[in-house]
Amino acid sequence: MRAAYAQDAILLMDRAADHRVPGAAVTQALCGHWDHEGPCPVAPHHTGADRSGDRVVVRILFAVEPHREDDVRARIVSVLSREEAQGPGGATARWQLLTTEAGDIRPEEKEHADRLRDSELG
């Protein structure tokens, strides 16, 4: 049975860069492409990104079997550590990964995390 998890990261990005590109890169790492049909094949997930000046706070909620948690976290950290990706519009966004760490599911995220946990896999 799957469980829900969170991964947090703080990025330093140029204000002109699309702050959604790191999330697209995470989706590509977990699903093969940011624009895919059907459920996520590795781990159902949701990525949020909030910008404040040149800092972008990225939060990934994901659901996976407990024995696969470390693998999914490693994929997320690996893609964010590359510090650049091409976004859906074709432009390359660059960033500096300042921090990344496991997070806890917040009370206001529980319903969303439960939906990810209970969703179908591709």
Side-chain angles (χ1 to χ4, degrees), residues 14-34:
D14 184 277
R15 292 172 193 239
D18 186 345
H19 71 285
R20 299 169 300 171
V21 171
V26 167
T27 298
Q28 189 167 4
L30 297 179
C31 302
H33 197 276
W34 59 75

Side-chain angles (χ1 to χ4, degrees), residues 33-86:
H33 197 276
W34 59 75
D35 184 22
H36 65 89
E37 294 286 326
C40 302
V42 174
H45 66 283
H46 170 80
T47 303
D50 293 310
R51 179 188 286 280
S52 178
D54 60 0
R55 302 224 175 200
V56 176
V57 176
V58 178
R59 182 155 175 88
I60 301 108
L61 298 179
F62 64 95
V64 70
E65 295 79 7
H67 71 276
R68 297 186 61 218
E69 174 190 1
D70 290 342
D71 174 60
V72 172
R73 286 190 193 281
R75 288 178 187 223
I76 292 168
V77 171
S78 176
V79 76
L80 293 177
S81 295
R82 290 184 196 149
E83 299 190 336
E84 74 172 27
Q86 189 175 43

Side-chain angles (χ1 to χ4, degrees), residues 80-104:
L80 293 177
S81 295
R82 290 184 196 149
E83 299 190 336
E84 74 172 27
Q86 189 175 43
T92 298
R94 291 177 179 79
W95 60 86
Q96 179 183 354
L97 177 61
L98 299 178
T99 65
T100 186
E101 63 185 8
D104 293 321

